[in-house]
Amino acid sequence: MPRIKPITLLSAGHGCVDVYQGAVASLVPFFVAERAYTYAAASGVVLAASLLSSVVQPLFGVLTDRWTMPWLLPVSTLLAGLGIALSGLTASYTLTLAFVALSGLGVAAYHPESARVARRVSGGSHSAMGRFSLGGNLGFAVAPIMVAAVVATGGLRSSPLLVVPALIGGLLCVPALRALAATTGTGPRGTDARATDDRASFVKLSLAVVLRAIVFIGLSTFISLYAQQRTGGGAVAGTAALFVLYLGGAVGTVVGGGLADRWDRVLVVRRSYLVTAVAVAGVVLVPGPALYLFVALASAGLYIPFSLQVTLGQDYLPTRVGTAAGVTLGLTVSIGGVAGPLIGAVADATTLQTALAPLIVLPALAWLVFRTLPEPVAPP
């Protein structure tokens, strides 16, 4: 019972941070509408958050492997919210990119340390780590509703109101970290002498994470605009598609933890990627309301591996769990953003459907990668 409360608080705090990752994509239709951004320019906003995060996040992972830095959790949460809150206040594209990048920096600083803390307070439990990841997924799901409620009514100038989840998340960190300090302390740590790193498997896992990231970021950046085209609906149809995408991720995370209790993680992830390939094909090719069903299936398929890949990475690199989290947990929402401008450029030159079509192949490639991975064995 003592472990439940800290992991629950951490899960809620995780949601307060990841709402800002979802907010970036949720703001794209409003940037297009109010500022006449092209597809490429809109995807550049997502890239601004993703690129800095992808570069910096593993560095924070390395730091958290050497020292515990619990203070990063509230500070990074506030940075994530501040950047998004400021992004709607300027018509300058450069400043918009800078503010969104600031939010990405906060996200980068948060994830490695929070994953380390969550692993410690949960005792390495897959189910508990699933709950921690679920909080982030729910944050993603809430983002389009939150952004629509604020920006659709008051325009981009009302974006400062979006800082509220960051304030809540910062406060939630305090009791969680007090509970952690009462049992673990905050000094430098040594590593288990019995632990050995499987770097080759970790590199392969990272490749699969990147493939998954490209698919998810590609869908989350453009699904709102694409749903409007394919269903003939307006902004509400687009917001609904983004909400389904994020909510399906929450369902997938819960399902993934349950499946991992019955079968090994590698098998579960491998099969989920096969389902994802079929679902993404449905998203790209099937018109009308059926689009929402395929969006939900694609989202669940992409998120079943989410927390499982985090724990797999930590088990492949047991002496560097912070670095492992910085790569696996961070890359799922960062490196994929690098492909966003390319997708946007192709969409500008052809159609959005043509630009999204290559995403069908990537889950199949991730499935092939996972066919070469072993299930980690705990040291005796």
Side-chain angles (χ1 to χ4, degrees):
M1 197 66 177
R3 290 178 177 173
I4 295 176
K5 185 177 180 180
I7 199 66
T8 300
L9 292 170
L10 288 169
S11 177
H14 191 191
C16 291
V17 172
D18 278 5
V19 74
Y20 294 110
Q21 297 194 81
V24 176
S26 302
L27 284 167
V28 164
F30 297 100
F31 286 136
V32 171
E34 289 193 28
R35 300 178 181 175
Y37 287 176
T38 63
Y39 287 135
S43 59
V45 174
V46 179
L47 175 63
S50 302
L51 185 60
L52 182 63
S53 182
S54 66
V55 172
V56 174
Q57 196 153 188
L59 298 180
F60 278 109
V62 172
L63 292 175
T64 59
D65 283 332
R66 297 192 62 183
W67 302 284
T68 57
M69 296 185 288
W71 54 268
L72 269 179
L73 270 62
V75 171
S76 60
T77 300
L78 294 175
L79 282 178
L82 182 64
I84 294 299
L86 295 174
S87 66
L89 295 183
T90 175
S92 166
Y93 185 68
T94 301
L95 284 177
T96 299
L97 296 182
F99 289 138
V100 172
L102 176 66
S103 180
L105 178 64
V107 170
Y110 177 85
H111 280 101
E113 180 67 4
S114 66
R116 182 197 67 80
V117 171
R119 181 180 175 92
R120 178 162 291 192
V121 300
S122 69
S125 163
H126 297 322
S127 297
M129 286 300 289
R131 291 199 300 274
F132 171 71
S133 298
L134 174 62
N137 302 152
L138 291 175
F140 264 109
V142 168
I145 298 175
M146 178 187 74
V147 170
V150 172
V151 181
T153 56
L156 289 171
R157 285 286 178 179
S158 62
S159 64
L161 293 175
L162 299 177
V163 79
V164 172
L167 299 177
I168 296 172
L171 292 174
L172 288 174
C173 290
V174 176
L177 295 179
R178 283 177 179 170
L180 177 68
T183 57
T184 62
T186 57
R189 297 147 294 150
T191 59
D192 190 340
R194 302 171 298 171
T196 56
D197 293 335
D198 184 352
R199 296 181 181 179
S201 292
F202 183 76
V203 169
K204 293 177 183 178
L205 172 69
S206 299
L207 174 60
V209 169
V210 170
L211 293 170
R212 176 207 173 274
I214 294 173
V215 178
F216 181 75
I217 295 296
L219 290 178
S220 63
T221 302
F222 295 109
I223 194 62
S224 181
L225 296 170
Y226 190 62
Q228 293 179 44
Q229 294 178 8
R230 298 294 280 177
T231 65
V236 173
T239 298
L242 197 57
F243 174 72
V244 170
L245 181 72
Y246 291 158
L247 185 61
V251 174
T253 301
V254 174
V255 171
L259 293 176
D261 289 336
R262 299 184 61 183
W263 298 289
D264 67 62
R265 290 166 291 175
V266 170
L267 177 63
V268 171
V269 173
R270 194 164 63 221
R271 290 180 175 176
S272 73
Y273 279 133
L274 281 180
V275 173
T276 302
V278 175
V280 173
V283 171
V284 175
L285 302 175
V286 176
L291 170 78
Y292 294 101
L293 172 62
F294 286 108
V295 169
L297 289 175
S299 179
L302 287 168
Y303 266 98
I304 284 174
F306 188 77
S307 65
L308 304 184
Q309 287 177 157
V310 175
T311 59
L312 279 169
Q314 291 175 326
D315 287 344
Y316 286 141
L317 290 186
T319 69
R320 296 177 177 86
V321 295
T323 300
V327 173
T328 55
L329 192 58
L331 284 176
T332 58
V333 288
S334 54
I335 288 294
V338 177
L342 177 59
I343 297 173
V346 173
D348 287 329
T350 57
T351 66
L352 191 50
Q353 184 180 40
T354 300
L356 294 177
L359 301 183
I360 299 170
V361 179
L362 301 187
L365 294 178
W367 171 77
L368 288 174
V369 171
F370 260 85
R371 284 180 60 85
T372 69
L373 288 175
E375 179 72 19
V377 179

